[in-house]
């Protein structure tokens, strides 16, 4: 039988989690804004050097996509009170794609490592399709 103390303990814990996630979301959102300012500032700093400008845009833009997915996962948790595995897989795919693109662009990634990353990304995409197909919410598979 639930007592008043247990009910209050769960409510306090739930509210503490929501408040900490809200603060985390504000911090990540500020970081997102600073990343956009960083893109503009780094473009201004490396203006004559086109290679450095493109490298900065690629690196910072992919980092922004990761922060957007993290904000999306925090919002999903606040709204649904659970973590969807599809969002976690999305974040993992974006992080691995970022590392692969940056490594290939800078020519400092070995062939074996790029094949390994591509295989892991492929497996994560298969897992993502499976989570869409067998989701409890029955999300429609978007093509």
């Amino acid at each position: 039988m639930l007592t008043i103390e247990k009910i209050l303990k769960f409510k306090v814990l739930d509210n503490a989690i929501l408040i900490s996630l809200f603060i985390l979301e504000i911090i990540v959102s500020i970081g997102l804004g600073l990343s956009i300012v960083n893109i503009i500032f780094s473009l201004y700093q490396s203006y004559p050097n086109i290679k450095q400008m493109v490298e900065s845009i690629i690196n910072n833009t992919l980092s922004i996509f990761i922060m957007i997915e993290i904000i999306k996962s925090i919002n999903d948790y606040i709204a649904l009170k659970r973590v969807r595995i599809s969002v976690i897989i999305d974040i993992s795919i974006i992080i691995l794609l970022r590392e692969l693109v940056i490594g290939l662009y800078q020519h400092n990634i070995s062939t074996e490592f790029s094949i390994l990353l591509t295989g892991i990304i492929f497996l994560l995409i298969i897992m993502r399709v499976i989570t869409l197909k067998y989701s409890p919410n029955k999300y429609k598979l978007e093509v």
Side-chain angles (χ1 to χ4, degrees):
M1 186 158 120
L2 290 176
T3 62
I4 300 283
E5 293 86 22
K6 287 183 181 179
I7 293 172
L8 288 176
K9 187 187 293 185
F10 286 126
K11 290 247 183 223
V12 169
L13 182 63
D14 191 38
N15 289 335
I17 290 171
L18 289 177
I19 290 170
S20 63
L21 285 175
F22 181 71
I23 292 170
L24 180 65
E25 186 174 3
I26 290 172
I27 291 170
V28 174
S29 297
I30 290 170
L32 181 65
L34 290 175
S35 293
I36 293 171
V37 170
N38 186 26
I39 288 175
I40 296 168
F41 183 69
S42 64
L43 286 177
Y44 177 75
Q45 275 187 329
S46 60
Y47 169 65
N49 189 354
I50 299 296
K51 182 182 181 217
Q52 196 175 25
M53 288 173 67
V54 171
E55 183 177 318
S56 172
I57 288 173
I58 290 172
N59 189 9
N60 290 327
T61 304
L62 293 173
S63 296
I64 286 173
F65 283 131
I66 292 170
M67 284 191 272
I68 288 171
E69 286 295 323
I70 291 172
I71 291 171
K72 183 177 151 185
S73 69
I74 292 171
N75 285 335
D76 280 351
Y77 180 80
I78 290 172
L80 301 173
K81 299 284 192 264
R82 64 183 179 93
V83 178
R84 292 189 322 192
I85 191 71
S86 59
V87 176
I88 302 300
I89 292 173
D90 287 344
I91 293 172
S92 302
I93 290 171
I94 291 173
I95 289 171
L96 290 175
L97 279 173
R98 176 188 180 273
E99 294 303 317
L100 184 64
V101 168
I102 289 173
L104 289 174
Y105 182 76
Q106 294 176 348
H107 304 291
N108 64 358
I109 190 171
S110 68
T111 306
E112 296 85 14
F113 190 66
S114 64
I115 291 172
L116 177 70
L117 278 179
T118 305
I120 293 171
I121 292 169
F122 181 70
L123 289 175
L124 286 171
I125 290 172
I126 291 172
M127 288 173 54
R128 176 72 166 107
V129 170
I130 290 171
T131 60
L132 284 176
K133 184 165 176 70
Y134 297 107
S135 173
N137 293 338
K138 300 294 183 200
Y139 298 111
K140 294 191 182 209
L141 187 61
E142 297 176 20
V143 180

Short mmCIF file of all heavy atoms in Angstrom, two decimals, residues 95-130:
data_model
loop_
_atom_site.label_atom_id
_atom_site.label_comp_id
_atom_site.label_asym_id
_atom_site.label_seq_id
_atom_site.Cartn_x
_atom_site.Cartn_y
_atom_site.Cartn_z
N ILE A 95 26.52 11.41 -34.41
CA ILE A 95 27.88 11.53 -33.86
C ILE A 95 28.86 10.73 -34.71
O ILE A 95 29.94 11.23 -35.06
CB ILE A 95 27.91 11.06 -32.39
CG1 ILE A 95 27.19 12.08 -31.50
CG2 ILE A 95 29.34 10.86 -31.91
CD1 ILE A 95 26.99 11.62 -30.07
N LEU A 96 28.50 9.52 -35.09
CA LEU A 96 29.40 8.71 -35.92
C LEU A 96 29.57 9.29 -37.31
O LEU A 96 30.68 9.28 -37.87
CB LEU A 96 28.90 7.27 -35.99
CG LEU A 96 29.00 6.47 -34.70
CD1 LEU A 96 28.36 5.10 -34.86
CD2 LEU A 96 30.45 6.32 -34.26
N LEU A 97 28.49 9.82 -37.88
CA LEU A 97 28.61 10.47 -39.19
C LEU A 97 29.51 11.70 -39.12
O LEU A 97 30.30 11.96 -40.03
CB LEU A 97 27.23 10.86 -39.71
CG LEU A 97 26.41 9.77 -40.36
CD1 LEU A 97 25.01 10.26 -40.67
CD2 LEU A 97 27.08 9.26 -41.62
N ARG A 98 29.40 12.44 -38.03
CA ARG A 98 30.27 13.61 -37.85
C ARG A 98 31.73 13.20 -37.83
O ARG A 98 32.56 13.79 -38.52
CB ARG A 98 29.90 14.34 -36.56
CG ARG A 98 30.80 15.52 -36.25
CD ARG A 98 30.52 16.09 -34.86
NE ARG A 98 31.35 17.21 -34.57
CZ ARG A 98 32.56 17.12 -34.02
NH1 ARG A 98 33.06 15.95 -33.71
NH2 ARG A 98 33.27 18.20 -33.80
N GLU A 99 32.04 12.19 -37.05
CA GLU A 99 33.43 11.73 -36.98
C GLU A 99 33.92 11.21 -38.32
O GLU A 99 35.07 11.46 -38.72
CB GLU A 99 33.58 10.66 -35.90
CG GLU A 99 33.35 11.16 -34.50
CD GLU A 99 34.27 12.31 -34.12
OE1 GLU A 99 35.49 12.24 -34.42
OE2 GLU A 99 33.77 13.28 -33.53
N LEU A 100 33.07 10.50 -39.04
CA LEU A 100 33.45 9.96 -40.35
C LEU A 100 33.68 11.09 -41.35
O LEU A 100 34.70 11.09 -42.06
CB LEU A 100 32.37 9.01 -40.85
CG LEU A 100 32.65 8.29 -42.17
CD1 LEU A 100 33.84 7.36 -42.04
CD2 LEU A 100 31.42 7.53 -42.62
N VAL A 101 32.78 12.05 -41.41
CA VAL A 101 32.92 13.15 -42.37
C VAL A 101 34.16 13.99 -42.06
O VAL A 101 34.93 14.33 -42.96
CB VAL A 101 31.64 14.02 -42.38
CG1 VAL A 101 31.85 15.31 -43.13
CG2 VAL A 101 30.50 13.25 -43.00
N ILE A 102 34.36 14.32 -40.80
CA ILE A 102 35.53 15.13 -40.43
C ILE A 102 36.82 14.37 -40.71
O ILE A 102 37.78 14.92 -41.24
CB ILE A 102 35.44 15.58 -38.96
CG1 ILE A 102 34.33 16.61 -38.81
CG2 ILE A 102 36.76 16.16 -38.47
CD1 ILE A 102 34.03 17.00 -37.39
N GLY A 103 36.84 13.09 -40.37
CA GLY A 103 38.04 12.29 -40.63
C GLY A 103 38.34 12.15 -42.11
O GLY A 103 39.50 12.23 -42.54
N LEU A 104 37.32 11.95 -42.91
CA LEU A 104 37.52 11.84 -44.36
C LEU A 104 37.92 13.18 -44.97
O LEU A 104 38.76 13.24 -45.87
CB LEU A 104 36.26 11.31 -45.04
CG LEU A 104 35.93 9.85 -44.78
CD1 LEU A 104 34.58 9.49 -45.39
CD2 LEU A 104 37.02 8.93 -45.32
N TYR A 105 37.34 14.26 -44.48
CA TYR A 105 37.67 15.57 -45.02
C TYR A 105 39.10 15.97 -44.69
O TYR A 105 39.79 16.54 -45.52
CB TYR A 105 36.70 16.63 -44.49
CG TYR A 105 36.98 17.99 -45.05
CD1 TYR A 105 36.61 18.32 -46.35
CD2 TYR A 105 37.63 18.96 -44.29
CE1 TYR A 105 36.88 19.56 -46.88
CE2 TYR A 105 37.90 20.21 -44.81
CZ TYR A 105 37.53 20.50 -46.11
OH TYR A 105 37.81 21.73 -46.62
N GLN A 106 39.55 15.66 -43.48
CA GLN A 106 40.91 16.03 -43.07
C GLN A 106 41.95 15.01 -43.49
O GLN A 106 43.14 15.20 -43.25
CB GLN A 106 40.96 16.22 -41.55
CG GLN A 106 40.15 17.40 -41.08
CD GLN A 106 40.13 17.53 -39.57
OE1 GLN A 106 40.55 16.61 -38.86
NE2 GLN A 106 39.63 18.64 -39.08
N HIS A 107 41.54 13.92 -44.10
CA HIS A 107 42.42 12.84 -44.57
C HIS A 107 43.28 12.25 -43.45
O HIS A 107 44.43 11.89 -43.65
CB HIS A 107 43.34 13.35 -45.69
CG HIS A 107 42.62 13.93 -46.85
ND1 HIS A 107 41.86 13.18 -47.71
CD2 HIS A 107 42.51 15.22 -47.29
CE1 HIS A 107 41.33 13.95 -48.63
NE2 HIS A 107 41.70 15.20 -48.40
N ASN A 108 42.73 12.16 -42.25
CA ASN A 108 43.48 11.57 -41.14
C ASN A 108 42.78 10.34 -40.56
O ASN A 108 42.92 10.03 -39.39
CB ASN A 108 43.75 12.61 -40.05
CG ASN A 108 42.48 13.12 -39.41
OD1 ASN A 108 41.38 12.75 -39.78
ND2 ASN A 108 42.64 14.00 -38.44
N ILE A 109 42.03 9.64 -41.40
CA ILE A 109 41.32 8.44 -40.97
C ILE A 109 41.77 7.29 -41.86
O ILE A 109 41.91 7.44 -43.07
CB ILE A 109 39.79 8.67 -41.02
CG1 ILE A 109 39.03 7.54 -40.35
CG2 ILE A 109 39.32 8.87 -42.43
CD1 ILE A 109 37.55 7.83 -40.19
N SER A 110 42.02 6.16 -41.23
CA SER A 110 42.47 5.01 -42.02
C SER A 110 41.28 4.35 -42.73
O SER A 110 40.13 4.53 -42.35
CB SER A 110 43.16 3.99 -41.11
OG SER A 110 42.23 3.41 -40.23
N THR A 111 41.61 3.57 -43.72
CA THR A 111 40.58 2.87 -44.49
C THR A 111 39.82 1.89 -43.61
O THR A 111 38.59 1.80 -43.68
CB THR A 111 41.21 2.14 -45.69
OG1 THR A 111 41.97 3.08 -46.44
CG2 THR A 111 40.16 1.52 -46.57
N GLU A 112 40.54 1.16 -42.77
CA GLU A 112 39.91 0.17 -41.91
C GLU A 112 38.94 0.84 -40.92
O GLU A 112 37.85 0.34 -40.67
CB GLU A 112 40.95 -0.65 -41.14
CG GLU A 112 41.85 -1.49 -42.01
CD GLU A 112 43.04 -0.72 -42.57
OE1 GLU A 112 43.34 0.39 -42.08
OE2 GLU A 112 43.66 -1.24 -43.52
N PHE A 113 39.38 1.96 -40.36
CA PHE A 113 38.53 2.65 -39.39
C PHE A 113 37.29 3.23 -40.06
O PHE A 113 36.20 3.21 -39.49
CB PHE A 113 39.33 3.74 -38.67
CG PHE A 113 38.60 4.35 -37.50
CD1 PHE A 113 38.31 3.59 -36.38
CD2 PHE A 113 38.19 5.67 -37.54
CE1 PHE A 113 37.63 4.13 -35.31
CE2 PHE A 113 37.52 6.23 -36.47
CZ PHE A 113 37.24 5.46 -35.36
N SER A 114 37.45 3.75 -41.28
CA SER A 114 36.28 4.29 -41.98
C SER A 114 35.30 3.18 -42.35
O SER A 114 34.08 3.37 -42.28
CB SER A 114 36.70 5.08 -43.22
OG SER A 114 37.32 4.23 -44.15
N ILE A 115 35.80 2.00 -42.71
CA ILE A 115 34.93 0.86 -42.99
C ILE A 115 34.23 0.42 -41.71
O ILE A 115 33.02 0.10 -41.72
CB ILE A 115 35.72 -0.29 -43.63
CG1 ILE A 115 36.16 0.11 -45.04
CG2 ILE A 115 34.91 -1.58 -43.67
CD1 ILE A 115 37.12 -0.87 -45.69
N LEU A 116 34.94 0.41 -40.60
CA LEU A 116 34.35 0.05 -39.31
C LEU A 116 33.24 1.03 -38.93
O LEU A 116 32.14 0.61 -38.53
CB LEU A 116 35.43 0.02 -38.22
CG LEU A 116 34.95 -0.26 -36.80
CD1 LEU A 116 34.50 -1.70 -36.69
CD2 LEU A 116 36.03 0.05 -35.81
N LEU A 117 33.51 2.33 -39.06
CA LEU A 117 32.48 3.32 -38.75
C LEU A 117 31.27 3.18 -39.66
O LEU A 117 30.12 3.29 -39.21
CB LEU A 117 33.05 4.73 -38.87
CG LEU A 117 33.84 5.28 -37.69
CD1 LEU A 117 34.34 6.69 -38.00
CD2 LEU A 117 33.04 5.27 -36.43
N THR A 118 31.52 2.93 -40.94
CA THR A 118 30.41 2.76 -41.88
C THR A 118 29.57 1.54 -41.51
O THR A 118 28.34 1.58 -41.58
CB THR A 118 30.96 2.62 -43.31
OG1 THR A 118 31.79 3.76 -43.59
CG2 THR A 118 29.84 2.56 -44.32
N GLY A 119 30.22 0.45 -41.10
CA GLY A 119 29.48 -0.74 -40.67
C GLY A 119 28.65 -0.50 -39.43
O GLY A 119 27.49 -0.93 -39.35
N ILE A 120 29.21 0.23 -38.49
CA ILE A 120 28.45 0.55 -37.26
C ILE A 120 27.27 1.45 -37.59
O ILE A 120 26.16 1.25 -37.07
CB ILE A 120 29.39 1.20 -36.21
CG1 ILE A 120 30.42 0.19 -35.72
CG2 ILE A 120 28.59 1.73 -35.04
CD1 ILE A 120 31.50 0.79 -34.85
N ILE A 121 27.49 2.43 -38.47
CA ILE A 121 26.39 3.31 -38.88
C ILE A 121 25.30 2.50 -39.58
O ILE A 121 24.11 2.71 -39.34
CB ILE A 121 26.91 4.45 -39.78
CG1 ILE A 121 27.78 5.41 -38.96
CG2 ILE A 121 25.77 5.20 -40.45
CD1 ILE A 121 28.55 6.41 -39.79
N PHE A 122 25.69 1.56 -40.42
CA PHE A 122 24.72 0.71 -41.11
C PHE A 122 23.90 -0.12 -40.11
O PHE A 122 22.68 -0.22 -40.23
CB PHE A 122 25.45 -0.21 -42.11
CG PHE A 122 24.54 -1.10 -42.88
CD1 PHE A 122 23.69 -0.60 -43.84
CD2 PHE A 122 24.53 -2.47 -42.63
CE1 PHE A 122 22.83 -1.43 -44.55
CE2 PHE A 122 23.69 -3.31 -43.33
CZ PHE A 122 22.84 -2.79 -44.29
N LEU A 123 24.57 -0.68 -39.11
CA LEU A 123 23.85 -1.44 -38.08
C LEU A 123 22.90 -0.55 -37.28
O LEU A 123 21.78 -0.96 -36.95
CB LEU A 123 24.84 -2.13 -37.15
CG LEU A 123 25.62 -3.30 -37.74
CD1 LEU A 123 26.65 -3.81 -36.75
CD2 LEU A 123 24.68 -4.40 -38.16
N LEU A 124 23.34 0.67 -36.98
CA LEU A 124 22.46 1.59 -36.26
C LEU A 124 21.25 1.99 -37.10
O LEU A 124 20.15 2.15 -36.57
CB LEU A 124 23.24 2.84 -35.82
CG LEU A 124 24.20 2.65 -34.65
CD1 LEU A 124 25.05 3.89 -34.47
CD2 LEU A 124 23.45 2.32 -33.38
N ILE A 125 21.45 2.13 -38.40
CA ILE A 125 20.31 2.45 -39.28
C ILE A 125 19.33 1.28 -39.31
O ILE A 125 18.11 1.49 -39.27
CB ILE A 125 20.81 2.82 -40.69
CG1 ILE A 125 21.51 4.18 -40.65
CG2 ILE A 125 19.66 2.85 -41.69
CD1 ILE A 125 22.22 4.56 -41.92
N ILE A 126 19.83 0.06 -39.34
CA ILE A 126 18.94 -1.11 -39.28
C ILE A 126 18.18 -1.12 -37.96
O ILE A 126 16.97 -1.37 -37.93
CB ILE A 126 19.75 -2.41 -39.48
CG1 ILE A 126 20.25 -2.50 -40.92
CG2 ILE A 126 18.92 -3.64 -39.13
CD1 ILE A 126 21.21 -3.64 -41.16
N MET A 127 18.88 -0.83 -36.85
CA MET A 127 18.21 -0.76 -35.56
C MET A 127 17.15 0.34 -35.54
O MET A 127 16.07 0.16 -34.98
CB MET A 127 19.22 -0.51 -34.44
CG MET A 127 20.10 -1.69 -34.13
SD MET A 127 21.42 -1.32 -32.96
CE MET A 127 20.54 -0.62 -31.59
N ARG A 128 17.43 1.46 -36.19
CA ARG A 128 16.47 2.57 -36.25
C ARG A 128 15.20 2.15 -37.00
O ARG A 128 14.10 2.45 -36.57
CB ARG A 128 17.14 3.77 -36.94
CG ARG A 128 16.23 4.95 -37.14
CD ARG A 128 15.96 5.64 -35.82
NE ARG A 128 15.38 6.95 -36.06
CZ ARG A 128 14.11 7.24 -35.85
NH1 ARG A 128 13.27 6.34 -35.39
NH2 ARG A 128 13.65 8.45 -36.07
N VAL A 129 15.37 1.44 -38.10
CA VAL A 129 14.21 0.97 -38.87
C VAL A 129 13.41 -0.03 -38.04
O VAL A 129 12.17 0.01 -38.03
CB VAL A 129 14.67 0.35 -40.20
CG1 VAL A 129 13.53 -0.36 -40.90
CG2 VAL A 129 15.26 1.42 -41.10
N ILE A 130 14.09 -0.89 -37.31
CA ILE A 130 13.39 -1.86 -36.45
C ILE A 130 12.62 -1.15 -35.35
O ILE A 130 11.49 -1.52 -35.04
CB ILE A 130 14.40 -2.89 -35.87
CG1 ILE A 130 14.90 -3.80 -36.99
CG2 ILE A 130 13.76 -3.71 -34.76
CD1 ILE A 130 16.05 -4.70 -36.58
#
